Amino acid sequence: MKIRRIGVYRIDLPLKESYSLSGGRLVTERLDSTFVRIETDCGLEGWGEGCPWGHSYLPAHGQGLRASLDVLAPSLLGRDPRSLDTLNRVMDARLPGHLYAKSPIDMACWDLVGKAAAEPLWRLFGGEEPVPVEINSSIPTGTPEAMVAGIERARREGYRVHSAKLGGHDAAVDIERIDAIEDALVTGEHITWDINRAWTPAIALEVLNSVSSTAWVEQPCETLEQCAMVARKVRQPVLLDECLHDFHDHLLAWRTGVFAGIKVKPNRVGGLTRARRIRDLAIDVGWKMHIEDVGGTALADTAAIHLAASTPQPYRMASWPAHDHIAWDPVPGQGVRNRGGFLVPTGHPGLGVVPDEEHTGPPVAVYS
Ligand code: MG
């Protein structure tokens, strides 16, 4: 099987409502997603999606992704899409770094691997059956009352696990948010406090040592070292997200011996091939994981859920469906959807999501 043609599609995704995180530092109104379609000489085609969360959340943005594809795509023509380790080495040699741009290519190739093998990806990632993955909400930063209202709305939609976005320079405001939300949770619900790097270590220690909550705390500060300093001095388990990019970052995190979990996001780490490697490391070292993508439609969400569903339950926490925040659906009805608070990958070969140009519009670039 050889790659014959690569099509690139720009997908504009308005959010249902403005989304604020990191103590209000980062506000996003719409996402700039990119779909990649890889056609082969045997008639099979694979699809992938790369969708940074706006342009201020991570060092990644939609235009940068497509500019990187312009460099990467020609080097992939004529190669076998099933040879994923080789393809990733080819991309790394052609364009070091830029992991987020490699992810949609890697995803589309995995779709082809699954289709060629007539197997869903959850099985190729090691799963025995399409395990339902619990969903978790993502509540943007706001007043305590607005955040509690967000949790109540999510509860009505089936969410039992929540992630609340905190962070800022006023410890008292975050203490107020945590106490109000803890009081509003009902039996059986769980929450993570996601700071998105907004706290200094001093504020993190002040807040976390003032509240009674012992829930998970995610990426409290900017750097791995700052997060480790906090993790050593608080009762809450701490997990990492934005400061983890390549495999080496995960090794450094493990060496500190103070973190209890990580977020695994294919687009942040460079695709499903690398995400699976990190997932397997996390199992070996005993980390718990949220496995989900940075952003995007049900296409990107479905890819992440194949990996989550194949991950043993003791290591797997809930997954966030990014498409739940988006005001329109370019893959209507396809892929994983909220079914009573769970996402279930299908048994279709590959990803199980097949976009069409009626919804994507024509490609913005074609390489052949
Ligand atoms: Mg996070």
Side-chain angles (χ1 to χ4, degrees):
M1 189 192 301
K2 304 289 184 204
I3 296 173
R4 188 175 64 79
R5 188 172 186 267
I6 300 175
V8 176
Y9 302 77
R10 178 174 185 271
I11 315 287
D12 181 43
L13 300 174
L15 300 184
K16 288 176 182 171
E17 51 191 37
S18 173
Y19 190 93
S20 169
L21 73 164
S22 200
R25 281 193 308 167
L26 312 178
V27 180
T28 305
E29 307 278 348
R30 56 202 317 121
L31 305 180
D32 178 353
S33 182
T34 302
F35 282 11
V36 169
R37 177 190 195 180
I38 296 184
E39 296 172 67
T40 63
D41 61 355
C42 69
L44 290 176
E45 65 175 41
W47 286 84
E49 178 178 14
C51 185
W53 189 264
H55 49 77
S56 57
Y57 169 60
L58 288 172
H61 67 121
Q63 289 167 296
L65 192 154
R66 290 185 294 277
S68 300
L69 290 176
D70 195 51
V71 177
L72 292 168
S75 66
L76 303 174
L77 297 171
R79 294 183 179 273
D80 192 322
R82 297 167 299 182
S83 304
L84 268 157
D85 288 344
T86 300
L87 282 190
N88 274 291
R89 282 196 290 273
V90 167
M91 289 196 284
D92 289 344
R94 178 85 167 180
L95 183 69
H98 299 269
L99 294 168
Y100 71 107
K102 295 165 183 170
S103 182
I105 295 274
D106 182 83
M107 190 186 295
C109 289
W110 270 107
D111 191 22
L112 282 161
V113 170
K115 286 171 176 166
E119 293 284 2
L121 291 190
W122 53 260
R123 194 187 308 282
L124 299 181
F125 293 152
E128 189 176 21
E129 53 189 353
V131 175
V133 176
E134 191 165 18
I135 52 175
N136 79 260
S137 70
S138 184
I139 310 297
T141 308
T143 63
E145 296 75 24
M147 295 183 77
V148 167
I151 297 232
E152 289 167 349
R153 191 162 55 242
R155 182 182 300 139
R156 287 194 293 276
E157 294 169 6
Y159 289 87
R160 291 291 176 271
V161 182
H162 306 282
S163 170
K165 302 291 192 178
L166 304 179
H169 299 299
D170 187 344
V173 174
D174 276 335
I175 291 170
E176 200 185 334
R177 288 179 176 126
I178 290 173
D179 289 343
I181 293 170
E182 277 280 358
D183 282 348
L185 295 179
V186 301
T187 304
E189 286 188 328
H190 301 280
I191 188 140
T192 294
W193 311 113
D194 190 0
I195 319 305
N196 294 112
R197 332 187 284 282
W199 283 340
T200 61
I203 290 188
L205 296 177
E206 182 180 352
V207 173
L208 296 176
N209 289 326
S210 299
V211 296
S212 59
S213 172
T214 54
W216 285 83
V217 175
E218 181 174 331
Q219 191 76 38
C221 306
E222 187 74 36
T223 67
L224 173 65
E225 293 77 9
Q226 291 168 345
C227 292
M229 181 203 295
V230 171
R232 287 189 183 96
K233 295 178 178 174
V234 298
R235 293 174 301 142
Q236 297 86 354
V238 177
L239 74 145
L240 296 174
D241 184 350
E242 294 100 308
C243 71
L244 301 174
H245 296 277
D246 60 18
F247 194 84
H248 188 70
D249 293 333
H250 293 77
L251 293 180
L252 293 176
W254 169 72
R255 282 180 61 181
T256 67
V258 296
F259 299 110
I262 58 170
K263 278 258 166 96
V264 180
K265 295 178 175 173
N267 194 253
R268 171 163 50 66
V269 301
L272 290 166
T273 301
R274 286 176 158 107
R276 184 180 64 159
R277 222 173 270 157
I278 290 163
R279 185 274 308 264
D280 291 343
L281 167 74
I283 291 172
D284 267 359
V285 303
W287 280 335
K288 294 194 79 150
M289 289 168 274
H290 291 279
I291 301 176
E292 60 203 33
D293 218 338
V294 174
T297 71
L299 176 59
D301 286 340
T302 299
I305 294 305
H306 278 290
L307 188 62
S310 66
T311 300
Q313 198 279 328
Y315 303 98
R316 171 166 43 83
M317 296 194 278
S319 295
W320 167 66
H323 73 265
D324 205 25
H325 293 258
I326 295 169
W328 88 283
D329 186 355
V331 287
Q334 296 193 64
V336 293
R337 304 286 164 163
N338 179 1
R339 302 276 183 260
F342 290 85
L343 305 169
V344 186
T346 71
H348 297 306
L351 287 170
V353 179
V354 185
D356 60 66
E357 290 193 0
E358 182 188 340
H359 293 93
T360 62
V364 294
V366 174
Y367 305 91
S368 61

